[in-house]
Amino acid sequence: MIKRITLFLLTNLAVVVLLTIVASVLGIDRFLMANGLSLGGLLMFAALFGFGGSLISLAISKWMAKTMVGAQVITNPSNGTERWLVDTVRRHAQLAGVGMPEVAIYDAPEVNAFATGANRNNALVAVSTGLLQQMTPDEADAVLGHEMSHVANGDMVTLALLQGIVNTFVIFFARIIGSVVDRAVFKNDENRPGIGYWVVSIAAEVLLGFIATMIVMWYSRRREFRADAGGAELAGRGKMIAALQRLRALQEPSSLPDQVEAFGISGRRRGGLAGLFLSHPPLEDRIAALQAGTIRSGLSLAR
């Protein structure tokens, strides 16, 4: 995680420097400063709010997920199913080289599971009652391997950082657009933003937010292929393919809240432009990728 965050910080520093150079060359910086809006201050403001919300959500992700779906953490297994569930997650965690996550069950008829948490050694893996009732042990084993692959790859942290980056750019560019339009179109010569600035900034934030969401969801879909490959390594390729085929046969719409749906094994189905906002790729594509064996999981298993 330290390497990932260090790389992330260096990348953001490079982006900030590049934006500053481009803004200076184009004269945007001088324009904004002359009109009371500092580019450096705006970047700090955008980063503070862009990353603040994302990182706070990550920090409380386990509590939020348990609260929203009503997941009950298994502290002392009370039956054979709960013991099997805890033992299977422990086995995958040991193979993946991560700390034992909390294991929970939530009451829902759909076949689904999800993983979340602030880091790979402090995670939560939760499964629905529908999954335990409608999947064979081998299929459920593969689903748990898929979720543990998300944990081991640090997908929750990476997704939160990516969200922070796009949030920052949305806030930053929305306010630049609002300032330019306020001055050039609404002819606001005062040293404070006018109504045009606020209206245009909000509209630009909404529009740019849609584009940013498409970027984050594209990454989420790519991440699912890696998690499938990880599930195949932890539980066996045949089991993982069988689990995805079972999901395809059921094709139940996900009832997980939006905040944790991206971390589930299965997502919603949409076509056309709406497909760009899906957190999961089509099950047919995931099965084909597993059968072809072209996707690497990124895991380093301890055998």
Side-chain angles (χ1 to χ4, degrees):
M1 181 188 300
I2 294 176
K3 290 182 178 179
R4 183 181 301 112
I5 293 175
T6 301
L7 179 60
F8 158 76
L9 292 175
L10 291 175
T11 301
N12 271 294
L13 178 60
V15 170
V16 170
V17 171
L18 178 61
L19 281 174
T20 302
I21 293 173
V22 171
S24 298
V25 171
L26 297 179
I28 297 175
D29 194 15
R30 293 189 298 274
F31 174 83
L32 292 174
M33 290 181 67
N35 290 279
L37 187 60
S38 165
L39 183 60
L42 177 57
L43 276 172
M44 291 179 62
F45 166 82
L48 176 64
F49 283 84
F51 282 98
S54 180
L55 295 179
I56 290 172
S57 295
L58 177 65
I60 64 173
S61 59
K62 286 206 305 180
W63 171 82
M64 187 168 58
K66 286 185 283 189
T67 300
M68 287 190 296
V69 302
Q72 300 297 313
V73 175
I74 303 172
T75 53
N76 293 301
S78 60
N79 54 53
T81 298
E82 291 185 356
R83 281 192 293 273
W84 175 88
L85 187 59
V86 172
D87 289 343
T88 302
V89 171
R90 180 179 290 110
R91 172 167 52 85
H92 289 324
Q94 290 172 346
L95 281 173
V98 300
M100 177 65 182
E102 289 185 297
V103 182
I105 298 175
Y106 65 97
D107 187 21
E110 65 172 6
V111 176
N112 216 334
F114 67 88
T116 190
N119 65 70
R120 63 203 301 266
N121 292 313
N122 183 26
L124 166 74
V125 173
V127 300
S128 68
T129 52
L131 182 146
L132 295 173
Q133 293 165 359
Q134 299 183 58
M135 277 193 159
T136 67
D138 281 351
E139 292 165 350
D141 184 13
V143 170
L144 293 171
H146 172 102
E147 298 306 330
M148 285 307 304
S149 181
H150 278 312
V151 173
N153 284 327
D155 286 339
M156 292 80 73
V157 176
T158 306
L159 197 65
L161 294 178
L162 177 59
Q163 185 68 63
I165 290 174
V166 297
N167 286 348
T168 298
F169 286 132
V170 166
I171 295 170
F172 179 75
F173 286 111
R175 276 152 182 78
I176 286 182
I177 293 170
S179 179
V180 171
V181 173
D182 192 37
R183 301 291 180 177
V185 177
F186 290 89
K187 308 300 181 183
N188 178 25
D189 295 326
E190 298 182 10
N191 291 326
R192 59 181 179 178
I195 186 64
Y197 169 83
W198 298 111
V199 171
V200 174
S201 292
I202 293 173
E205 204 163 291
V206 171
L207 177 61
L208 294 174
F210 276 111
I211 298 173
T213 299
M214 286 190 283
I215 295 172
V216 174
M217 290 300 100
W218 171 85
Y219 170 77
S220 177
R221 291 193 297 273
R222 300 308 304 170
R223 185 198 55 174
E224 286 302 309
F225 288 111
R226 293 185 65 196
D228 286 340
E233 288 189 26
L234 290 169
R237 180 176 297 183
K239 292 181 182 180
M240 192 70 243
I241 291 174
L244 294 178
Q245 288 173 334
R246 177 61 63 92
L247 287 171
R248 182 177 62 179
L250 295 171
Q251 287 291 358
E252 295 174 331
S254 173
S255 64
L256 287 177
D258 292 340
Q259 291 87 339
V260 296
E261 185 188 11
F263 302 114
I265 182 68
S266 180
R268 293 181 173 89
R269 299 179 64 196
R270 298 182 185 128
L273 184 62
L276 296 175
F277 296 93
L278 287 176
S279 61
H280 290 64
L283 287 165
E284 293 79 5
D285 294 349
R286 295 167 63 181
I287 293 170
L290 270 180
Q291 291 172 333
T294 56
I295 307 295
R296 294 183 178 275
S297 69
L299 299 180
S300 297
L301 302 186
R303 297 292 184 182

